[in-house]
Amino acid sequence: MASSSSSSLPAAWAAAVRAGAVAPALRAAVWACLAMSAMLVAEAAWMGLASLAAAAARRLRGYGYRWEPMAAPPDVEAPAPAPADFPMVLVQIPMYNEKEVYKLSIGAACALTWPPDRIIIQVLDDSTDPFVKELVELECKEWASKKINIKYEPESDFLLKTMPYLLHNPKIALVQTRWEFVNYNVCLMTRIQKMSLDYHFKVEQESGSFMHAFFGFNGTAGVWRVSAINQSGGWKDRTTVEDMDLAVRASLKGWEFLYVGDIRVKSELPSTFQAYRHQQHRWTCGAANLFRKMAWEIITNKEVSMWKKHHLLYSFFFVRRAIAPILTFLFYCIVIPLSAMVPEVTIPVWGLVYIPTAITIMNAIRNPGSVHLMPFWILFENVMAMHRMRAALSGLLETARANDWVVTEKVGDQVKDELDVPLLEPLKPTECAERIYIPELLLALYLLICASYDFVLGNHKYYIYIYLQAVAFTVMGFGFVGTRTPCS
């Protein structure tokens, strides 16, 4: 009898600690996550309705700005056109050890239809590899002498389609067009990226342009008015999102932005998991760090309306750049699994099921061709939320990694022929070691423990979702996602 009492004492103490300390803290975390979830679903619903209204309005009256077609530029032998008809255009091509795509980028810029005497093409080569620098220099010389044959040519009338908006609407500072992806069908990871970025352009950019004449510049596939750049203080390297930085500062000067989704520009998605992680860290951390640096400047600004300041502070920065990455990981990968082991805590069904289902449906509506991939998208985005939350906190707190800049790896022509999907063949031991990601595997272990406890002893029945999420963390932890580039 005494031994029975002594053996039940630790269990009683554990139950008391769980009920007295763990449960209240977890309950507070649950309600904080539910509050953030409500903000996120409201923002998603608002953007979705605004983007649908923008699409309907566009069918009726175009984009709401004056646009008149430009005549084809005269031949080189003809007299130079007047500056008002064809203003001077500067095309900038940043390069950094990108031997796979330098020909494509330079060729695309040189293929643009515009009078030769009214366009300047700058190749901003920061390469540290002497071989790559020599290749880029040779390519530029060959294009200057017109001895090269274009291997990859985008829409050459890009400037003829976008420049009229700047010519006829003096308040517009930026015309942003939409990306389309040349390698979206390489693997499941690139298909999932395409879903997220299509939603970004169709909903976030479309609604921002329609409702507020503001959105974040995507860093490419856009045309800026040089006077707006100069008035806003030019480019600044204080964060890893100098494109977004310029856009916010220009908006605070009263300039308007226009998103034109009918014009598309080819782009390449990162197809390796490591490259995608680096890209997402740069984007997420930079945006959060910019929020930290510019919040007070936005609050005290006198040149824009309270409506636009509210959009910038609350919608654009706080909900989408801070709340979204933190909530996704904290709620779906930490709080829900932990609550499966604490019977004193119950999550309301509207927060556990209705809100995430609503967000998923709103995304699926704008990606009807990818509905069958939605389960994979959910699991993948939850794993990536771990990196995005860490990046967001790094930017908000301005830690040592806040300004880490790793150029996204590109493969150019290789995407068609030479990329290998890692699940299709075994990897060498050294390759396996390089592709193991410890944080993902630790989270997978945590989720497996929570799911197993719920399956054996719990009463929440969360284990189906938690097991699936554990599998996703395990697969990505062992690097079985994306592609790997061929060995050199």
PDB file of all heavy atoms in Angstrom, residues 75-86:
ATOM      1  N   ASP A  75      13.459  53.199 -87.142  1.00  0.00           N
ATOM      2  CA  ASP A  75      14.679  52.438 -87.391  1.00  0.00           C
ATOM      3  C   ASP A  75      15.894  53.209 -86.903  1.00  0.00           C
ATOM      4  O   ASP A  75      15.845  54.426 -86.700  1.00  0.00           O
ATOM      5  CB  ASP A  75      14.826  52.136 -88.884  1.00  0.00           C
ATOM      6  CG  ASP A  75      13.690  51.260 -89.396  1.00  0.00           C
ATOM      7  OD1 ASP A  75      13.157  50.479 -88.571  1.00  0.00           O
ATOM      8  OD2 ASP A  75      13.327  51.380 -90.579  1.00  0.00           O
ATOM      9  N   VAL A  76      16.981  52.488 -86.769  1.00  0.00           N
ATOM     10  CA  VAL A  76      18.201  53.130 -86.291  1.00  0.00           C
ATOM     11  C   VAL A  76      18.644  54.233 -87.244  1.00  0.00           C
ATOM     12  O   VAL A  76      19.162  55.270 -86.827  1.00  0.00           O
ATOM     13  CB  VAL A  76      19.319  52.076 -86.137  1.00  0.00           C
ATOM     14  CG1 VAL A  76      20.614  52.714 -85.691  1.00  0.00           C
ATOM     15  CG2 VAL A  76      18.884  50.991 -85.159  1.00  0.00           C
ATOM     16  N   GLU A  77      18.429  54.026 -88.549  1.00  0.00           N
ATOM     17  CA  GLU A  77      18.882  55.011 -89.522  1.00  0.00           C
ATOM     18  C   GLU A  77      18.026  56.258 -89.529  1.00  0.00           C
ATOM     19  O   GLU A  77      18.436  57.305 -90.021  1.00  0.00           O
ATOM     20  CB  GLU A  77      18.877  54.403 -90.935  1.00  0.00           C
ATOM     21  CG  GLU A  77      19.892  53.273 -91.137  1.00  0.00           C
ATOM     22  CD  GLU A  77      19.442  51.960 -90.556  1.00  0.00           C
ATOM     23  OE1 GLU A  77      18.257  51.870 -90.143  1.00  0.00           O
ATOM     24  OE2 GLU A  77      20.258  51.020 -90.505  1.00  0.00           O
ATOM     25  N   ALA A  78      16.805  56.190 -88.987  1.00  0.00           N
ATOM     26  CA  ALA A  78      15.902  57.331 -89.015  1.00  0.00           C
ATOM     27  C   ALA A  78      16.341  58.368 -87.994  1.00  0.00           C
ATOM     28  O   ALA A  78      17.100  58.081 -87.072  1.00  0.00           O
ATOM     29  CB  ALA A  78      14.479  56.860 -88.721  1.00  0.00           C
ATOM     30  N   PRO A  79      15.842  59.619 -88.112  1.00  0.00           N
ATOM     31  CA  PRO A  79      16.176  60.649 -87.130  1.00  0.00           C
ATOM     32  C   PRO A  79      15.714  60.246 -85.733  1.00  0.00           C
ATOM     33  O   PRO A  79      14.726  59.549 -85.566  1.00  0.00           O
ATOM     34  CB  PRO A  79      15.405  61.876 -87.638  1.00  0.00           C
ATOM     35  CG  PRO A  79      15.165  61.611 -89.088  1.00  0.00           C
ATOM     36  CD  PRO A  79      15.025  60.121 -89.221  1.00  0.00           C
ATOM     37  N   ALA A  80      16.432  60.698 -84.733  1.00  0.00           N
ATOM     38  CA  ALA A  80      16.111  60.356 -83.342  1.00  0.00           C
ATOM     39  C   ALA A  80      14.753  60.918 -82.967  1.00  0.00           C
ATOM     40  O   ALA A  80      14.423  62.052 -83.325  1.00  0.00           O
ATOM     41  CB  ALA A  80      17.182  60.911 -82.404  1.00  0.00           C
ATOM     42  N   PRO A  81      13.912  60.163 -82.269  1.00  0.00           N
ATOM     43  CA  PRO A  81      12.589  60.653 -81.872  1.00  0.00           C
ATOM     44  C   PRO A  81      12.704  61.717 -80.798  1.00  0.00           C
ATOM     45  O   PRO A  81      13.715  61.830 -80.108  1.00  0.00           O
ATOM     46  CB  PRO A  81      11.907  59.398 -81.322  1.00  0.00           C
ATOM     47  CG  PRO A  81      13.043  58.549 -80.857  1.00  0.00           C
ATOM     48  CD  PRO A  81      14.163  58.815 -81.799  1.00  0.00           C
ATOM     49  N   ALA A  82      11.650  62.470 -80.648  1.00  0.00           N
ATOM     50  CA  ALA A  82      11.629  63.510 -79.614  1.00  0.00           C
ATOM     51  C   ALA A  82      11.619  62.846 -78.241  1.00  0.00           C
ATOM     52  O   ALA A  82      11.003  61.797 -78.055  1.00  0.00           O
ATOM     53  CB  ALA A  82      10.392  64.386 -79.782  1.00  0.00           C
ATOM     54  N   PRO A  83      12.271  63.446 -77.233  1.00  0.00           N
ATOM     55  CA  PRO A  83      12.307  62.858 -75.889  1.00  0.00           C
ATOM     56  C   PRO A  83      10.932  62.615 -75.296  1.00  0.00           C
ATOM     57  O   PRO A  83      10.733  61.663 -74.555  1.00  0.00           O
ATOM     58  CB  PRO A  83      13.092  63.889 -75.081  1.00  0.00           C
ATOM     59  CG  PRO A  83      13.925  64.611 -76.096  1.00  0.00           C
ATOM     60  CD  PRO A  83      13.094  64.647 -77.340  1.00  0.00           C
ATOM     61  N   ALA A  84       9.953  63.450 -75.615  1.00  0.00           N
ATOM     62  CA  ALA A  84       8.612  63.275 -75.059  1.00  0.00           C
ATOM     63  C   ALA A  84       7.962  62.000 -75.572  1.00  0.00           C
ATOM     64  O   ALA A  84       7.153  61.387 -74.882  1.00  0.00           O
ATOM     65  CB  ALA A  84       7.738  64.482 -75.392  1.00  0.00           C
ATOM     66  N   ASP A  85       8.307  61.610 -76.787  1.00  0.00           N
ATOM     67  CA  ASP A  85       7.730  60.400 -77.347  1.00  0.00           C
ATOM     68  C   ASP A  85       8.397  59.143 -76.790  1.00  0.00           C
ATOM     69  O   ASP A  85       7.727  58.170 -76.448  1.00  0.00           O
ATOM     70  CB  ASP A  85       7.872  60.421 -78.880  1.00  0.00           C
ATOM     71  CG  ASP A  85       7.094  61.570 -79.505  1.00  0.00           C
ATOM     72  OD1 ASP A  85       6.072  61.965 -78.895  1.00  0.00           O
ATOM     73  OD2 ASP A  85       7.517  62.068 -80.555  1.00  0.00           O
ATOM     74  N   PHE A  86       9.702  59.166 -76.707  1.00  0.00           N
ATOM     75  CA  PHE A  86      10.471  58.041 -76.180  1.00  0.00           C
ATOM     76  C   PHE A  86      11.491  58.562 -75.178  1.00  0.00           C
ATOM     77  O   PHE A  86      12.613  58.907 -75.551  1.00  0.00           O
ATOM     78  CB  PHE A  86      11.180  57.279 -77.312  1.00  0.00           C
ATOM     79  CG  PHE A  86      10.253  56.524 -78.212  1.00  0.00           C
ATOM     80  CD1 PHE A  86       9.761  57.100 -79.370  1.00  0.00           C
ATOM     81  CD2 PHE A  86       9.859  55.231 -77.895  1.00  0.00           C
ATOM     82  CE1 PHE A  86       8.900  56.413 -80.200  1.00  0.00           C
ATOM     83  CE2 PHE A  86       8.993  54.532 -78.718  1.00  0.00           C
ATOM     84  CZ  PHE A  86       8.507  55.123 -79.872  1.00  0.00           C
TER      85      PHE A  86
END
